[in-house]
Amino acid sequence: MKILFVVSEVEDLAKTGGLADVAKSLPIALRALGHDVRIVKPYYRQLAEKFALDNLTETQKLVSGDHEYPFNIKRLELESVPVYCIDYPEYFHRKGLYSDGYEAFGDNAERFAFFSAAALQTAKAINFQPDVIHCNDWHTALCPFFVKQDDSGFFSQTRTLLTIHNGAYQGIHRFADIPYVRPFAELASQIDSQGNLNYLRMGLRYADKINAVSPNYGRELLTPLGSHNLYQDFQLRANDVSGILNGCDYQQWDPATDTLLPKNYNSESLKGKAACKTALQKEVGLPEKDNVPLIGMLCRLTEQKGFGYLLPVLSQLLQHNVQLLVIGTGDPVISDVLEFNASQHPDKLVFRNDFSTRIAHLLEAGSDFFLMPSLFEPCGLNQMYSLAYGTIPIVRAVGGLRDTVLDLQMLPEQATGFMFEAPDSSALLNCVRRALLFYHEYPQQFSAMQQRAMRHRFTWYDAALNYQALYQHCLPMD
């Protein structure tokens, strides 16, 4: 199949989050299955500064109303996958991808409306007629609409798939502030009473198929609580909504080969993990005690990550024989509470308001548990990393967390972690206490759980096979 993968960021080229990981790993895995995959993304300033790329074609031009948008196409390869970059400096040669580090760019709606249309024009310019255009999140959710509006015949056999990586981000903008889409009269019925256009809703309406990044998140999107206020829209497309679990990059996340660790280890021998724990404690200033369970937490400081019910019981949690390390940036209110509690319990809680790849790997290897009590979690990657490193996840049973972690109470012989259901503080605290009790009272069974967790694999090969099947369902019947 010919697949055009349209996305706003790609790991190794430009990244702000997990979307970039998928945008690199999935096309590579699909390429390995024999598909002709091409990625289209913006030519951001950081990419332009890193690669001095020549124009691939003559200057392209889009016209919308009385406005012209001349742009160039750059080309590079990412592990044999061609990447075509849309070069429109006015929109993409900026300090950040979506914001200046403080506030989102005011013209993001216009930028990504243009990008979605430019991605289709790029396919024409390189004469690549895709069987499937794979769109990702709100940034490219207008692609299916533009495909349906195209009257050139170029996309007459093309079908579209919209993958939802996080439905909470929908791209809601005032229609009046999006010059590129004003000439499209068909959009009038999609403008809400405040004059806004919801990009994700547009994708739900016009894409041929819709999928989420885990089976459970796909089911949650069809519920009033889990639909991010788009319940009716998802219900209208219920037969076209599915979920495919993301994979994990085990070349990057493997404790047996990880060069960022002070000592490597594998599921056959966990001795190196103890050395990593000591190194982590020393690194962050916690007492170097091997018999005290260390809980790690690495995430953005947002309500989504469960801080709303973690912080109220933090002092109760720290009454136990435990150490807690929290690393992340984000909401200053959350960071203030964490900093205060750390000052009150310096031998039990360390909070670092920063991030580095090295400390992320060391935290995954050196922690005994990884805490991920998310309010919602479309897929999640850190619980996969934790399993690979023998670090037992403590998670809420939502989204991809439910799909990847097996709870001790439910499946004691197969368990790889601990889960709780209710989004409240008492449920979280009881789950953590259950995990700590297991650690202290059943050390041999705990080690067996660690080894079992390390043998679990969630590969991009399996994900690619599932996407291959979904693409085939998109295509018209012969």
Side-chain angles (χ1 to χ4, degrees):
M1 277 183 282
K2 294 182 178 180
I3 303 157
L4 190 70
F5 198 90
V6 187
V7 68
S8 61
E9 58 183 83
V10 181
E11 186 177 11
D12 293 341
L13 302 179
K15 175 180 178 177
T16 65
L19 172 61
D21 299 311
V22 179
K24 174 188 174 183
S25 298
L26 179 57
I28 290 171
L30 289 166
R31 188 81 168 185
L33 291 178
H35 299 292
D36 186 354
V37 187
R38 317 283 181 94
I39 299 172
V40 181
K41 67 174 299 296
Y43 193 54
Y44 296 113
R45 188 174 81 180
Q46 60 182 263
L47 191 58
E49 291 173 349
K50 185 176 181 180
F51 301 100
L53 301 176
D54 295 328
N55 293 334
L56 180 66
T57 68
E58 63 182 15
T59 297
Q60 303 295 307
K61 184 172 67 174
L62 292 175
V63 178
S64 183
D66 58 358
H67 194 94
E68 292 187 353
Y69 300 78
F71 69 94
N72 288 304
I73 303 170
K74 313 288 187 176
R75 184 187 187 279
L76 54 84
E77 285 201 357
L78 186 64
E79 296 189 30
S80 80
V81 176
V83 181
Y84 298 89
C85 303
I86 306 299
D87 185 20
Y88 192 70
E90 181 180 344
Y91 287 162
F92 302 127
H93 285 206
R94 303 181 182 182
K95 179 181 178 181
L97 275 59
Y98 316 116
S99 75
D100 60 6
Y102 299 96
E103 293 185 3
F105 296 128
D107 60 349
N108 273 343
E110 170 73 358
R111 296 170 72 223
F112 289 104
F114 159 76
F115 170 65
S116 295
L120 304 185
Q121 180 61 31
T122 297
K124 294 179 180 179
I126 63 175
N127 196 31
F128 182 72
Q129 286 186 287
D131 297 302
V132 176
I133 298 176
H134 188 158
C135 314
N136 295 272
D137 271 351
W138 76 263
H139 317 92
T140 59
L142 290 187
C143 277
F145 171 75
F146 289 140
V147 167
K148 297 259 189 315
Q149 299 300 310
D150 185 86
D151 58 5
S152 68
F154 190 85
F155 300 108
S156 61
Q157 298 301 308
T158 298
R159 297 297 179 264
T160 57
L161 168 67
L162 173 64
T163 293
I164 299 173
H165 301 259
N166 191 332
Y169 300 103
Q170 299 174 11
I172 302 173
H173 302 275
R174 288 189 57 78
F175 183 77
D177 296 334
I178 319 172
Y180 192 86
V181 301
R182 285 185 205 145
F184 294 95
E186 296 85 350
L187 293 175
S189 63
Q190 297 300 305
I191 302 171
D192 67 20
S193 58
Q194 280 72 49
N196 296 320
L197 183 67
N198 185 315
Y199 279 36
L200 190 61
R201 178 179 280 132
M202 288 292 295
L204 295 180
R205 176 174 177 178
Y206 286 97
D208 293 296
K209 294 290 182 181
I210 301 150
N211 86 292
V213 290
S214 70
N216 191 55
Y217 188 51
R219 292 187 289 269
E220 289 173 354
L221 291 172
L222 296 173
T223 67
L225 185 62
S227 62
H228 306 289
N229 298 313
L230 292 175
Y231 177 65
Q232 296 297 333
D233 301 275
F234 279 109
Q235 281 296 309
L236 289 172
R237 300 299 309 276
N239 292 334
D240 294 313
V241 177
S242 60
I244 295 175
L245 188 68
N246 282 342
C248 177
D249 184 353
Y250 292 106
Q251 289 186 328
Q252 184 178 359
W253 293 93
D254 183 353
T257 58
D258 193 334
T259 59
L260 297 175
L261 302 185
K263 193 170 181 61
N264 295 113
Y265 60 96
N266 56 42
S267 61
E268 301 302 317
S269 174
L270 298 173
K271 290 182 179 180
K273 186 169 176 60
C276 292
K277 179 176 180 177
T278 300
L280 178 61
Q281 291 169 324
K282 184 176 181 179
E283 170 91 18
V284 300
L286 284 168
E288 296 172 31
K289 298 179 179 180
D290 60 1
N291 62 342
V292 175
L294 173 54
I295 302 175
M297 189 174 184
L298 175 72
C299 63
R300 299 188 311 279
L301 304 184
T302 65
E303 285 295 310
Q304 179 199 334
K305 297 303 179 179
F307 285 100
Y309 40 92
L310 170 62
L311 297 183
V313 294
L314 193 54
S315 60
Q316 292 175 261
L317 171 59
L318 295 174
Q319 291 175 10
H320 293 277
N321 185 25
V322 67
Q323 295 177 344
L324 177 61
L325 171 61
V326 182
I327 295 177
T329 61
D331 189 334
V333 174
I334 295 174
S335 65
D336 286 347
V337 176
L338 289 169
E339 286 174 353
F340 173 77
N341 279 270
S343 69
Q344 299 300 302
H345 306 274
D347 60 334
K348 288 190 172 184
L349 170 61
V350 170
F351 166 59
R352 283 198 169 182
N353 194 0
D354 60 11
F355 172 83
S356 76
T357 300
R358 184 185 66 83
I359 198 67
H361 282 246
L362 186 58
L363 182 146
E364 288 288 5
S367 301
D368 298 297
F369 295 98
F370 190 92
L371 184 59
M372 207 167 175
S374 305
L375 184 63
F376 67 94
E377 195 66 58
C379 177
L381 289 173
N382 277 105
Q383 83 278 14
M384 296 184 187
Y385 304 154
S386 299
L387 291 168
Y389 283 64
T391 299
I392 301 304
I394 302 172
V395 304
R396 198 164 89 82
V398 291
L401 302 179
R402 184 187 285 273
D403 289 319
T404 51
V405 179
L406 303 176
D407 182 73
L408 181 66
Q409 287 183 334
M410 299 174 63
L411 296 163
E413 299 302 318
Q414 304 173 46
T416 57
F418 297 85
M419 287 198 297
F420 65 99
E421 294 272 354
D424 61 54
S425 297
S426 60
L428 166 61
L429 185 58
N430 288 337
C431 187
V432 174
R433 285 171 171 167
R434 186 159 56 94
L436 296 179
L437 181 65
F438 186 70
Y439 175 93
H440 286 298
E441 297 294 328
Y442 304 98
Q444 290 185 333
Q445 291 93 324
F446 181 77
S447 293
M449 180 187 283
Q450 289 179 298
Q451 292 174 303
R452 192 160 52 241
M454 294 178 73
R455 290 192 287 268
H456 271 247
R457 285 291 184 266
F458 307 95
T459 69
W460 278 111
Y461 173 78
D462 291 334
L465 288 176
N466 288 324
Y467 273 103
Q468 176 179 262
L470 182 55
Y471 293 152
Q472 290 169 342
H473 283 301
C474 287
L475 300 179
M477 301 294 289
D478 292 332

